[in-house]
Amino acid sequence: HDWINYWVDKNGSNLANSFWPNGTKKDWIWGLALPLLSDIQQKQSSQNERSLFGISALPGCGKTCLGKWLEASAKILGISLKVLSLDDFYLPSNELDLAMKDNPWEVPRGLPGSHSIDLLESSIDNWLSSGSVNAPQFDKALRNGSGDRSGWINTQADFLLLEGWFLGCHPLDISLNQLEKEFVNHPPLTSNEKEYRSRVQNQLDKYLPIWQRIDRLWHIKLKDFTSSSHWKVEQETQMLRTRGSALKGEQLLSFVRMIQTSIPEESLM
């Protein structure tokens, strides 16, 4: 009751509400957004050290909107918070194209191995020691939806929040029996997908030092793993409508297939 009364007094239902899409349900705000913000507040009051939070959720779940709302709400409440996306640390376009070459889904980005891990690691360490956030920005609408870096940010923050669709995923040793069970309701994996899936697991090893720096990881777990595919299509359709460029057609369907098959569902759920 104290918690509810606190957020009623703060007008929590309408806090920074311009950052939510029309029709956002109150349970998203009261069941996720305000509890997450409360967790950050509690961390702020209990210690003076900088804290790195993480949000893990499949593509299309609303991580970006949630992040923008958190930044705006934190500012209203006097909390120094900056949200970064794992996507912002995609490799520069020429390196990204090389890293994504020959993947069976022909996606231009998104897979483990498409990020500048060393840059992300050094950006976090620099922030931990100085409070200064220096990070690239990635615009997915550039290069006809393939995306490219679009600039840099330089700011100060006491809290840093990193979001990503496979944030926190650890490599798994998946047996053939598990694969057959996992894909009973999906088109079976091709031989190329099976081979590349093993490569993705090896790439995830390189992200473990990043995961170890995260003090608190919030995971938005779907009731239905396939929902993300529908939401990703909606997301790209919206970007095409507002920006004039996005993944579409076969390219979008391949990206959805990559989400469903490149990392075991067990890891992502």
Side-chain angles (χ1 to χ4, degrees):
H1 289 293
D2 289 341
W3 181 82
I4 292 172
N5 290 335
Y6 173 84
W7 285 113
V8 168
D9 289 341
K10 295 288 185 183
N11 197 22
S13 289
N14 298 309
L15 191 65
N17 61 359
S18 63
F19 288 88
W20 295 119
N22 291 331
T24 298
K25 294 182 178 179
K26 296 297 184 184
D27 55 359
W28 179 264
I29 297 169
W30 284 93
L32 173 65
L34 293 176
L36 176 50
L37 193 53
S38 297
D39 198 17
I40 293 169
Q41 281 185 314
Q42 188 173 29
K43 197 80 169 175
Q44 181 188 41
S45 62
S46 65
Q47 64 181 52
N48 294 320
E49 297 177 1
R50 298 181 184 94
S51 293
L52 176 63
F53 275 61
I55 297 178
S56 174
L58 285 166
C61 283
K63 298 184 300 297
T64 301
C65 280
L66 177 60
K68 289 178 179 178
W69 177 87
L70 282 167
E71 276 192 348
S73 299
K75 186 176 181 179
I76 293 170
L77 297 170
I79 301 171
S80 176
L81 171 72
K82 181 62 187 173
V83 179
L84 294 179
S85 173
L86 192 60
D87 294 351
D88 286 324
F89 290 86
Y90 281 134
L91 293 159
S93 56
N94 57 336
E95 297 178 44
L96 182 61
D97 292 345
L98 188 60
M100 293 294 93
K101 186 180 178 182
D102 298 329
N103 75 78
W105 307 280
E106 298 183 348
V107 294
R109 50 184 162 78
L111 286 163
S114 59
H115 303 90
S116 299
I117 298 296
D118 291 342
L119 177 59
L120 176 55
E121 209 167 340
S122 63
S123 294
I124 291 173
D125 288 344
N126 179 64
W127 168 75
L128 285 169
S129 63
S130 68
S132 179
V133 181
N134 297 293
Q137 299 287 277
F138 193 89
D139 187 340
K140 296 176 183 177
L142 297 177
R143 298 198 303 146
N144 296 316
S146 294
D148 202 355
R149 286 190 181 172
S150 58
W152 287 74
I153 59 164
N154 189 332
T155 188
Q156 295 287 127
D158 294 331
F159 287 87
L160 195 61
L161 194 148
L162 183 66
E163 56 94 347
W165 77 275
F166 62 86
L167 203 73
C169 279
H170 285 240
L172 293 177
D173 182 15
I174 302 296
S175 69
L176 186 58
N177 288 336
Q178 284 175 294
L179 282 177
E180 290 173 351
K181 181 181 178 182
E182 185 180 343
F183 286 92
V184 66
N185 294 319
H186 300 281
L189 289 173
T190 66
S191 57
N192 286 340
E193 285 176 329
K194 289 178 183 178
E195 188 278 327
Y196 206 90
R197 206 180 203 219
S198 297
R199 196 186 308 183
V200 168
Q201 291 297 303
N202 292 333
Q203 287 290 344
L204 281 173
D205 269 322
K206 301 176 182 178
Y207 292 78
L208 296 183
I210 305 298
W211 306 164
Q212 291 164 1
R213 286 166 167 77
I214 298 173
D215 299 303
R216 182 100 76 189
L217 179 62
W218 281 63
H219 174 57
I220 304 174
K221 183 175 179 179
L222 307 188
K223 290 182 177 180
D224 180 358
F225 182 73
T226 61
S227 297
S228 175
S229 303
H230 304 296
W231 296 337
K232 181 62 182 175
V233 171
E234 289 177 358
Q235 186 183 63
E236 293 294 326
T237 302
Q238 173 68 11
M239 187 164 71
L240 183 62
R241 187 161 50 243
T242 57
R243 300 291 308 281
S245 182
L247 297 175
K248 54 185 181 295
E250 287 298 321
Q251 197 179 28
L252 178 54
L253 293 176
S254 294
F255 201 95
V256 167
R257 172 71 175 176
M258 180 274 290
I259 295 167
Q260 294 174 331
T261 59
S262 61
I263 297 177
E265 184 177 332
E266 179 182 342
S267 293
L268 296 169
M269 292 292 277

